Amino acid sequence: MPFRSATRTPVAPLLLALSLALSGCAESGAPEGAPATKSPADSGRQVRQLPDQPFDYQLGGAYPPPEGVRTVVRDRTAAPEPGAYNICYVNAYQTQPDEVGWWRKNHPDLLLRDADGDLVVDEDWQEPLLDISTAGHRERLARIVGGWFDGCAKKGFDGLDSDNLDSYLRSDGLLDRKQASAFAELLVARAHRAGLAIGQKNAADMAPVGHRLGFDFAIAEECARYEECAAYADAYDDKVLVIEYRGADLTAACREWGERLPIVLRDRDLVPAGRSGHVNERC
């Protein structure tokens, strides 16, 4: 499967350790029933669309964007870049590893469990899945995750990177695509109420569905490597941010998609600029 998100520390030996310096749970304890942000019509804040310009993917830590880059993706615990189009990363379908204790204490029934009562975990990242199997659970989870969306809006972010739409594929058959779509529909509505554009993250086979549900753009990791860029482009036209992690894949992506899609090559650790291992190239 494609490399998904680099904000979380993987355990599988084939995946490199990623920085969690800016991936704490500062907003995780926000009250579930907090008032929703006013709609754009009420607040005067308009849903901004993804601009057609170079971008940077800074989930491993914030730093000044390279020259010419005016779109930046950062974790929800980070501050937006002044003057840029800022996209806020939120783990929408799974828990962050360092937030599991909070979920166990406050919402244990919203964590997906198997027949033995054990948590169902994305083993690559040691992230328990959220239980979106019922309408009631989805509504409650949308209030919690929606609170994080509101936090992104209050900080000044313009859009959302909503990760793990495809988590049902890691649920041992306990969740399905229909449930994932139903939860996505709630998240899209909540994002738009907060005045934020929202992006589909990976799950290329769901791109047509995601677009119909109201996602405004897509963020695709390694779509050139896995020959998935066309699926996103067919659904979202040029509103697709492409991240590759291998030089050969950047070359292939630029050759086929460089005239149409913004593409960046990053190191898998997403090391901030100025530190050893940092890679940041474009077509």
Side-chain angles (χ1 to χ4, degrees), residues 82-138:
Y85 185 96
N86 288 277
I87 298 173
C88 186
Y89 172 87
V90 175
N91 192 354
Y93 282 75
Q94 300 179 179
T95 73
Q96 297 291 82
D98 56 354
E99 294 177 355
V100 177
W102 181 85
W103 284 96
R104 285 183 181 273
K105 178 180 179 180
N106 295 282
H107 303 285
D109 61 319
L110 295 181
L111 297 172
L112 186 66
R113 298 176 185 273
D114 61 20
D116 296 324
D118 297 325
L119 296 180
V120 178
V121 178
D122 177 349
E123 297 294 344
D124 284 342
W125 300 95
Q126 289 303 289
E127 293 181 359
L129 275 62
L130 299 178
D131 186 354
I132 58 170
S133 62
T134 70
H137 280 193
R138 291 192 293 270

Coordinates of all heavy atoms in Angstrom, one line a residue, residues 82-138:
P82 N 2.6 32.4 7.8 CA 2.0 33.7 7.4 C 2.0 33.9 5.9 O 3.0 33.7 5.3 CB 2.8 34.7 8.2 CG 3.4 33.9 9.3 CD 3.6 32.5 8.8
G83 N 0.9 34.3 5.4 CA 0.8 34.7 4.0 C 0.7 33.5 3.0 O 0.5 33.7 1.8
A84 N 0.7 32.3 3.5 CA 0.6 31.1 2.7 C -0.8 30.5 2.7 O -1.7 30.9 3.5 CB 1.6 30.0 3.1
Y85 N -1.1 29.6 1.8 CA -2.3 28.8 1.8 C -2.0 27.6 2.7 O -1.2 26.8 2.3 CB -2.8 28.4 0.4 CG -4.1 27.7 0.4 CD1 -5.3 28.3 0.1 CD2 -4.2 26.3 0.6 CE1 -6.5 27.7 0.1 CE2 -5.4 25.6 0.6 CZ -6.5 26.3 0.3 OH -7.7 25.7 0.3
N86 N -2.6 27.5 3.9 CA -2.2 26.5 4.9 C -3.2 25.4 5.0 O -4.4 25.6 5.1 CB -2.0 27.2 6.2 CG -0.8 28.1 6.3 OD1 0.3 27.6 6.5 ND2 -1.0 29.4 6.1
I87 N -2.7 24.2 4.9 CA -3.5 23.0 5.0 C -3.1 22.3 6.3 O -2.0 22.0 6.6 CB -3.3 22.0 3.8 CG1 -3.7 22.8 2.5 CG2 -4.0 20.7 4.0 CD1 -3.4 22.0 1.2
C88 N -4.1 21.9 7.1 CA -4.0 21.4 8.4 C -4.2 19.9 8.4 O -5.2 19.4 8.0 CB -5.0 22.0 9.3 SG -4.9 21.7 11.1
Y89 N -3.2 19.1 8.9 CA -3.3 17.7 8.9 C -4.0 17.2 10.2 O -3.8 17.6 11.3 CB -1.9 17.0 9.0 CG -1.9 15.5 9.2 CD1 -2.1 14.6 8.2 CD2 -1.9 15.0 10.5 CE1 -2.2 13.3 8.4 CE2 -2.0 13.7 10.8 CZ -2.2 12.8 9.7 OH -2.3 11.5 10.0
V90 N -5.0 16.3 9.9 CA -5.8 15.7 11.0 C -5.9 14.2 10.8 O -6.3 13.8 9.7 CB -7.2 16.4 11.1 CG1 -8.0 15.6 12.2 CG2 -7.1 17.9 11.5
N91 N -5.6 13.4 11.7 CA -5.8 12.0 11.7 C -7.3 11.7 12.0 O -7.7 11.7 13.1 CB -4.9 11.2 12.6 CG -4.9 9.8 12.4 OD1 -5.6 9.2 11.6 ND2 -4.0 9.1 13.1
A92 N -8.1 11.5 10.9 CA -9.6 11.5 11.1 C -10.2 10.2 11.4 O -11.3 10.1 12.0 CB -10.2 12.1 9.8
Y93 N -9.5 9.1 11.0 CA -10.1 7.8 11.1 C -9.4 6.8 12.1 O -9.9 5.8 12.4 CB -10.1 7.1 9.7 CG -11.2 7.6 8.8 CD1 -11.1 8.8 8.2 CD2 -12.4 6.8 8.6 CE1 -12.1 9.2 7.3 CE2 -13.4 7.2 7.7 CZ -13.2 8.4 7.1 OH -14.2 8.9 6.2
Q94 N -8.3 7.3 12.6 CA -7.5 6.5 13.5 C -7.0 7.4 14.6 O -7.0 8.6 14.5 CB -6.3 5.8 12.8 CG -6.8 4.8 11.7 CD -5.7 4.1 11.0 OE1 -5.9 3.3 10.1 NE2 -4.4 4.4 11.3
T95 N -6.4 6.8 15.7 CA -5.9 7.6 16.8 C -4.4 7.8 16.6 O -3.7 7.0 16.0 CB -6.1 7.0 18.2 OG1 -5.2 5.8 18.3 CG2 -7.5 6.5 18.3
Q96 N -3.9 9.0 17.1 CA -2.5 9.1 17.2 C -2.0 8.2 18.3 O -2.6 8.0 19.3 CB -2.1 10.6 17.5 CG -2.5 11.6 16.4 CD -1.7 11.5 15.2 OE1 -2.0 10.6 14.3 NE2 -0.7 12.3 15.0
P97 N -0.8 7.6 18.1 CA -0.3 6.7 19.2 C -0.2 7.3 20.6 O -0.5 6.6 21.6 CB 1.1 6.4 18.7 CG 1.1 6.5 17.2 CD 0.2 7.7 17.0
D98 N 0.1 8.6 20.7 CA 0.2 9.2 22.0 C -1.1 9.7 22.5 O -1.2 10.4 23.6 CB 1.2 10.4 22.0 CG 0.9 11.4 20.9 OD1 0.0 11.2 20.1 OD2 1.7 12.4 20.9
E99 N -2.2 9.5 21.8 CA -3.6 9.9 22.2 C -4.4 8.7 22.6 O -5.6 8.9 23.0 CB -4.3 10.7 21.1 CG -3.6 12.0 20.7 CD -4.3 12.7 19.6 OE1 -5.2 12.1 19.0 OE2 -3.9 13.8 19.2
V100 N -3.9 7.5 22.6 CA -4.7 6.3 22.9 C -5.2 6.4 24.3 O -6.4 6.0 24.5 CB -3.9 5.0 22.6 CG1 -4.7 3.8 23.0 CG2 -3.4 4.9 21.2
G101 N -4.4 6.8 25.2 CA -4.8 6.9 26.6 C -6.0 7.8 26.8 O -6.9 7.5 27.6
W102 N -6.0 8.9 26.1 CA -7.1 9.9 26.2 C -8.4 9.2 25.6 O -9.5 9.3 26.3 CB -6.8 11.1 25.4 CG -7.9 12.1 25.4 CD1 -8.1 13.1 26.4 CD2 -9.0 12.3 24.5 NE1 -9.2 13.8 26.1 CE2 -9.8 13.4 25.0 CE3 -9.4 11.6 23.3 CZ2 -11.0 13.8 24.3 CZ3 -10.5 12.1 22.6 CH2 -11.3 13.1 23.1
W103 N -8.3 8.5 24.5 CA -9.5 7.8 24.0 C -10.0 6.7 24.9 O -11.2 6.6 25.2 CB -9.2 7.2 22.6 CG -9.1 8.2 21.5 CD1 -8.0 8.8 21.0 CD2 -10.2 8.7 20.8 NE1 -8.3 9.7 20.0 CE2 -9.7 9.7 19.8 CE3 -11.6 8.5 20.8 CZ2 -10.5 10.4 18.9 CZ3 -12.4 9.2 19.9 CH2 -11.9 10.1 19.0
R104 N -9.1 6.0 25.5 CA -9.5 4.9 26.5 C -10.2 5.5 27.7 O -11.2 4.9 28.2 CB -8.2 4.1 27.0 CG -7.6 3.2 25.9 CD -6.5 2.4 26.6 NE -5.8 1.5 25.7 CZ -6.2 0.2 25.6 NH1 -7.2 -0.2 26.3 NH2 -5.5 -0.6 24.8
K105 N -9.7 6.7 28.1 CA -10.3 7.3 29.3 C -11.7 7.9 29.0 O -12.6 7.8 29.8 CB -9.3 8.3 29.9 CG -9.9 9.0 31.1 CD -8.9 10.0 31.6 CE -9.4 10.8 32.9 NZ -8.4 11.8 33.4
N106 N -11.7 8.6 27.9 CA -12.9 9.5 27.6 C -13.9 8.9 26.7 O -15.1 9.1 26.8 CB -12.4 10.8 27.0 CG -11.6 11.6 28.0 OD1 -12.2 12.3 28.9 ND2 -10.3 11.6 27.9
H107 N -13.5 8.1 25.7 CA -14.4 7.5 24.7 C -14.0 6.1 24.4 O -13.8 5.7 23.2 CB -14.4 8.3 23.5 CG -14.8 9.8 23.7 ND1 -16.1 10.2 24.0 CD2 -14.0 10.9 23.7 CE1 -16.1 11.5 24.2 NE2 -14.9 12.0 24.0
P108 N -13.9 5.2 25.4 CA -13.5 3.8 25.1 C -14.3 3.1 24.1 O -13.9 2.2 23.3 CB -13.5 3.1 26.4 CG -14.5 3.9 27.3 CD -14.3 5.3 26.8
D109 N -15.6 3.4 24.0 CA -16.5 2.7 23.1 C -16.4 3.1 21.7 O -17.0 2.5 20.8 CB -18.0 2.9 23.6 CG -18.4 4.3 23.6 OD1 -17.6 5.2 24.0 OD2 -19.5 4.6 23.2
L110 N -15.6 4.2 21.4 CA -15.4 4.7 20.1 C -14.2 4.1 19.4 O -13.8 4.5 18.3 CB -15.4 6.2 20.1 CG -16.7 6.9 20.4 CD1 -16.5 8.4 20.4 CD2 -17.9 6.5 19.6
L111 N -13.5 3.3 20.2 CA -12.3 2.6 19.6 C -12.8 1.2 19.1 O -13.5 0.5 19.8 CB -11.3 2.4 20.7 CG -10.6 3.6 21.2 CD1 -9.7 3.3 22.4 CD2 -9.8 4.4 20.1
L112 N -12.4 0.9 17.9 CA -12.8 -0.4 17.2 C -12.2 -1.6 18.0 O -11.0 -1.6 18.2 CB -12.5 -0.4 15.8 CG -13.0 -1.6 14.9 CD1 -14.5 -1.5 14.8 CD2 -12.4 -1.5 13.5
R113 N -13.0 -2.6 18.3 CA -12.6 -3.8 19.0 C -13.0 -5.0 18.2 O -14.1 -5.0 17.6 CB -13.1 -3.8 20.4 CG -12.6 -2.6 21.2 CD -13.2 -2.6 22.6 NE -12.8 -1.4 23.4 CZ -11.7 -1.3 24.1 NH1 -10.8 -2.3 24.2 NH2 -11.4 -0.2 24.7
D114 N -12.2 -6.1 18.3 CA -12.6 -7.3 17.7 C -13.5 -8.2 18.6 O -13.9 -7.7 19.7 CB -11.3 -8.1 17.3 CG -10.4 -8.5 18.5 OD1 -10.9 -8.5 19.6 OD2 -9.2 -8.7 18.2
A115 N -13.7 -9.4 18.2 CA -14.7 -10.3 19.0 C -14.1 -10.6 20.4 O -14.9 -10.9 21.3 CB -14.9 -11.6 18.2
D116 N -12.8 -10.5 20.6 CA -12.3 -10.7 21.9 C -12.2 -9.5 22.8 O -11.7 -9.5 23.9 CB -10.9 -11.3 21.7 CG -10.9 -12.7 21.1 OD1 -11.8 -13.4 21.4 OD2 -10.0 -13.0 20.3
G117 N -12.6 -8.3 22.2 CA -12.5 -7.1 22.9 C -11.2 -6.4 22.8 O -11.0 -5.3 23.5
D118 N -10.3 -6.8 22.0 CA -9.0 -6.2 21.8 C -9.2 -5.1 20.7 O -9.9 -5.2 19.8 CB -8.0 -7.2 21.3 CG -7.7 -8.3 22.3 OD1 -7.8 -8.0 23.5 OD2 -7.5 -9.5 21.9
L119 N -8.4 -4.1 20.9 CA -8.3 -3.0 19.9 C -7.9 -3.5 18.6 O -6.9 -4.3 18.5 CB -7.4 -1.8 20.4 CG -7.9 -1.1 21.7 CD1 -6.8 0.0 22.0 CD2 -9.2 -0.5 21.6
V120 N -8.5 -3.0 17.5 CA -8.0 -3.2 16.2 C -7.1 -2.1 15.8 O -7.4 -1.0 15.8 CB -9.2 -3.3 15.2 CG1 -8.7 -3.5 13.8 CG2 -10.2 -4.3 15.6
V121 N -5.8 -2.5 15.5 CA -4.7 -1.6 15.3 C -4.1 -1.6 13.9 O -3.9 -2.7 13.4 CB -3.6 -1.9 16.4 CG1 -2.5 -0.9 16.2 CG2 -4.2 -1.8 17.8
D122 N -3.9 -0.5 13.4 CA -3.0 -0.3 12.2 C -1.6 -0.6 12.6 O -0.9 0.2 13.2 CB -3.2 1.1 11.6 CG -2.3 1.3 10.4 OD1 -1.4 0.5 10.1 OD2 -2.5 2.4 9.8
E123 N -1.1 -1.8 12.3 CA 0.1 -2.3 12.9 C 1.3 -1.5 12.3 O 2.3 -1.4 13.0 CB 0.3 -3.8 12.6 CG -0.8 -4.7 13.2 CD -0.7 -4.7 14.7 OE1 0.4 -4.3 15.3 OE2 -1.6 -5.2 15.4
D124 N 1.2 -1.0 11.1 CA 2.4 -0.2 10.6 C 2.7 1.0 11.5 O 3.8 1.5 11.5 CB 2.1 0.2 9.2 CG 2.2 -0.9 8.2 OD1 2.9 -1.9 8.5 OD2 1.7 -0.8 7.1
W125 N 1.6 1.6 12.1 CA 1.8 2.8 12.8 C 1.4 2.7 14.3 O 1.4 3.7 15.0 CB 0.9 3.9 12.2 CG 1.3 4.1 10.8 CD1 0.8 3.6 9.6 CD2 2.4 5.0 10.3 NE1 1.4 4.0 8.5 CE2 2.4 4.9 8.9 CE3 3.3 5.8 11.0 CZ2 3.4 5.6 8.1 CZ3 4.2 6.5 10.2 CH2 4.2 6.4 8.8
Q126 N 0.9 1.5 14.7 CA 0.4 1.3 16.1 C -0.7 2.3 16.4 O -0.7 2.9 17.5 CB 1.6 1.4 17.1 CG 2.5 0.2 17.0 CD 1.8 -1.1 17.2 OE1 1.3 -1.4 18.4 NE2 1.6 -1.9 16.2
E127 N -1.6 2.4 15.5 CA -2.8 3.4 15.7 C -4.1 2.6 15.7 O -4.5 2.0 14.8 CB -2.9 4.3 14.5 CG -1.7 5.3 14.4 CD -1.9 6.3 13.3 OE1 -2.9 6.1 12.5 OE2 -1.0 7.1 13.1
P128 N -4.7 2.5 16.9 CA -6.0 1.9 16.9 C -7.0 2.6 16.0 O -7.0 3.9 15.9 CB -6.5 2.1 18.4 CG -5.2 2.2 19.2 CD -4.2 3.0 18.2
L129 N -7.9 1.9 15.4 CA -8.9 2.4 14.5 C -10.1 3.0 15.3 O -10.4 2.4 16.3 CB -9.4 1.4 13.5 CG -8.5 1.2 12.2 CD1 -7.1 0.7 12.5 CD2 -9.3 0.2 11.3
L130 N -10.7 4.0 14.8 CA -11.9 4.5 15.4 C -13.1 3.7 14.8 O -13.1 3.3 13.7 CB -12.1 6.0 15.0 CG -11.0 6.9 15.5 CD1 -11.2 8.4 15.1 CD2 -10.9 6.9 17.1
D131 N -14.1 3.5 15.7 CA -15.3 2.7 15.4 C -16.3 3.5 14.7 O -17.1 4.2 15.3 CB -15.8 2.0 16.6 CG -16.9 1.0 16.3 OD1 -17.3 0.9 15.1 OD2 -17.4 0.3 17.2
I132 N -16.4 3.4 13.3 CA -17.4 4.2 12.6 C -18.5 3.3 12.1 O -19.2 3.6 11.1 CB -16.7 4.9 11.4 CG1 -16.0 3.9 10.5 CG2 -15.7 6.0 11.9 CD1 -15.5 4.4 9.2
S133 N -18.7 2.2 12.8 CA -19.6 1.2 12.2 C -21.1 1.5 12.4 O -21.9 0.9 11.7 CB -19.3 -0.2 13.0 OG -19.6 -0.1 14.4
T134 N -21.4 2.4 13.2 CA -22.8 2.8 13.4 C -23.0 4.3 13.2 O -22.1 5.1 13.4 CB -23.3 2.4 14.8 OG1 -22.7 3.3 15.8 CG2 -23.0 1.0 15.2
A135 N -24.2 4.7 12.9 CA -24.5 6.1 12.7 C -24.3 6.9 14.0 O -23.8 8.0 13.9 CB -26.0 6.3 12.2
G136 N -24.6 6.3 15.1 CA -24.4 7.0 16.4 C -23.0 7.3 16.6 O -22.6 8.4 17.1
H137 N -22.1 6.3 16.4 CA -20.7 6.5 16.6 C -20.1 7.5 15.6 O -19.3 8.3 16.0 CB -20.0 5.1 16.4 CG -20.0 4.2 17.6 ND1 -19.2 3.1 17.7 CD2 -20.8 4.3 18.7 CE1 -19.5 2.5 18.9 NE2 -20.4 3.2 19.5
R138 N -20.6 7.5 14.4 CA -20.1 8.4 13.4 C -20.4 9.8 13.8 O -19.6 10.8 13.7 CB -20.6 8.1 12.0 CG -20.1 6.8 11.5 CD -20.4 6.6 10.0 NE -21.8 6.4 9.7 CZ -22.4 5.2 9.7 NH1 -21.7 4.1 9.9 NH2 -23.7 5.1 9.4

